C-alpha cells in the first residue's frame, strides 16, 4: 500500500464517522451522555491534522500513530478503546499484509480492547461488532460480507442489556437501543473494507 492509498483509507474512514456524528450523538443520548459523535469527530480531526505524516509511515506505524492521536485527544471511553484497537492492529502488521496476516493483527487488536475495557462480546459494546467481524475474517469473508456482518452485529446490540460503560448504569433501560460504539465500529469497518477491496 502506498502513501496515496493510506491517505484515501484514512480520509474515507474519517469521513464515514464525521458524516454520521449527529447520529452517533443521538444514539449516545438515548443510553449514554450524548458525546459519542463529538468524541469520534474530535478523534478523526486529530488524525487528519497529522494526515501527511501518518500516511508517510509504513502501515503498522501509521496505525499506531493514529491510535495515539485518539488516546491523547479523545475524552470518554471510546477514545482510549479505539486508540488501543489501532495500536494493537499496528503492532504486528507487516508492511504488505496478506488477508490472513491482517486477520491475525485484527485478532490481537480485539484482544487488546477486551483487556483494556475488561469486556467481552455480549455486553453491548463495540466488541459486539468487532468480534463477529473477526470471526468473518477468519472465514476470509469479502468486503460486502464483512459490511453485512457488521450491520447485523450492530442491530444485534438492540435487545442486549449494557454491562459495560455508561449505558450499564441504565440497567434494563439500556435494552431496545443500538449501542453507539457498535454503530461507530460498523461505520469504520464498512468504510475500511470497501477501500481495501477496491485497492486489492
Ligand atoms: P463515554 O461512554 O465515556 O461517554 P463514548 O460515548 O464516546 O464514551 O463511547 C461509548 C461507547 O464506548 C459505548 O457505546 C461502547 O460501545 C463503548 N464502550 C464503553 N465501555 C466499554 C468497554 N469497557 N469495553 C468496550 N467498549 C466500551
Ligand atoms: Mg458518551
Amino acid at each position: 500500500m502506498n502513501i496515496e492509498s493510506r491517505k484515501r483509507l484514512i480520509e474515507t474512514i474519517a469521513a464515514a464517522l464525521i458524516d454520521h456524528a449527529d447520529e452517533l450523538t443521538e444514539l449516545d443520548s438515548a443510553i449514554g451522555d450524548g458525546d459519542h459523535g463529538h468524541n469520534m469527530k474530535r478523534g478523526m480531526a486529530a488524525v487528519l491534522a497529522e494526515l501527511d505524516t501518518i500516511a508517510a509511515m509504513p502501515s503498522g506505524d501509521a496505525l499506531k500513530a493514529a491510535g495515539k492521536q485518539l488516546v491523547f485527544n479523545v475524552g470518554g471511553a471510546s477514545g482510549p478503546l479505539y486508540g488501543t484497537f489501532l495500536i494493537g492492529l499496528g503492532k504486528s502488521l507487516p508492511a504488505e499484509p496478506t488477508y490472513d496476516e491482517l486477520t491475525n493483527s485484527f485478532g490481537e487488536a480485539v484482544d487488546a480492547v477486551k483487556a483494556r475495557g475488561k469486556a467481552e462480546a455480549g455486553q453491548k459494546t463495540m466488541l459486539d461488532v468487532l468480534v463477529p467481524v473477526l470471526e468473518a475474517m477468519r472465514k476470509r469473508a469479502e468486503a460486502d460480507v464483512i459490511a453485512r456482518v457488521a450491520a447485523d452485529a450492530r442491530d444485534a446490540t438492540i435487545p442486549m442489556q449494557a454491562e459495560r460503560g455508561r449505558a450499564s448504569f441504565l440497567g434494563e433501560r439500556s435494552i431496545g437501543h443500538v449501542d453507539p460504539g457498535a454503530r461507530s465500529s460498523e461505520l469504520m469497518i464498512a468504510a475500511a473494507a470497501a477501500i481495501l477491496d477496491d485497492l486489492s
Side-chain angles (χ1 to χ4, degrees):
M1 190 183 279
N2 59 28
I3 294 186
E4 286 316 311
S5 304
R6 276 193 292 275
K7 264 194 187 169
R8 204 172 131 217
L9 184 58
I10 294 166
E11 284 174 331
T12 307
I13 292 171
L17 291 166
I18 292 167
D19 291 351
H20 291 85
D22 290 348
E23 183 199 335
L24 294 173
T25 285
E26 231 171 87
L27 293 174
D28 196 36
S29 300
I31 57 169
D33 57 354
D35 64 352
H36 192 53
H38 172 81
N39 287 341
M40 297 312 292
K41 222 168 153 174
R42 197 184 159 99
M44 292 305 110
V47 172
L48 290 174
E50 299 290 325
L51 182 63
D52 289 338
T53 315
I54 292 174
M57 298 173 178
S59 298
D61 291 341
L63 284 161
K64 285 189 267 178
K68 282 180 194 159
Q69 286 296 99
L70 299 189
V71 172
F72 294 137
N73 290 290
V74 185
S78 61
L81 287 166
Y82 278 129
T84 297
F85 181 81
L86 295 183
I87 293 166
L89 188 57
K91 258 187 196 160
S92 61
L93 198 74
E96 299 293 338
T98 62
Y99 192 120
D100 287 346
E101 285 168 338
L102 178 62
T103 302
N104 283 337
S105 296
F106 196 98
E108 287 176 23
V110 169
D111 286 343
V113 171
K114 285 180 179 174
R116 174 103 195 202
K118 298 183 174 57
E120 293 289 336
Q123 297 178 317
K124 200 177 180 103
T125 70
M126 57 178 71
L127 284 167
D128 290 303
V129 165
L130 298 176
V131 169
V133 165
L134 174 62
E135 284 162 7
M137 289 175 77
R138 287 190 170 138
K139 293 179 197 148
R140 299 193 183 167
E142 293 188 14
D144 55 338
V145 176
I146 296 278
R148 189 71 255 151
V149 165
D152 289 347
R154 172 254 291 155
D155 282 342
T157 65
I158 297 173
M160 291 182 188
Q161 178 170 330
E163 291 171 20
R164 287 291 180 275
R166 284 176 195 279
S168 66
F169 305 155
L170 291 182
E172 284 181 7
R173 280 182 296 138
S174 65
I175 295 172
H177 304 273
V178 169
D179 176 63
R183 175 64 171 144
S184 55
S185 288
E186 177 213 349
L187 287 166
M188 262 186 268
I189 284 162
I195 294 285
L196 291 174
D197 193 46
D198 206 38
L199 290 174
S200 65

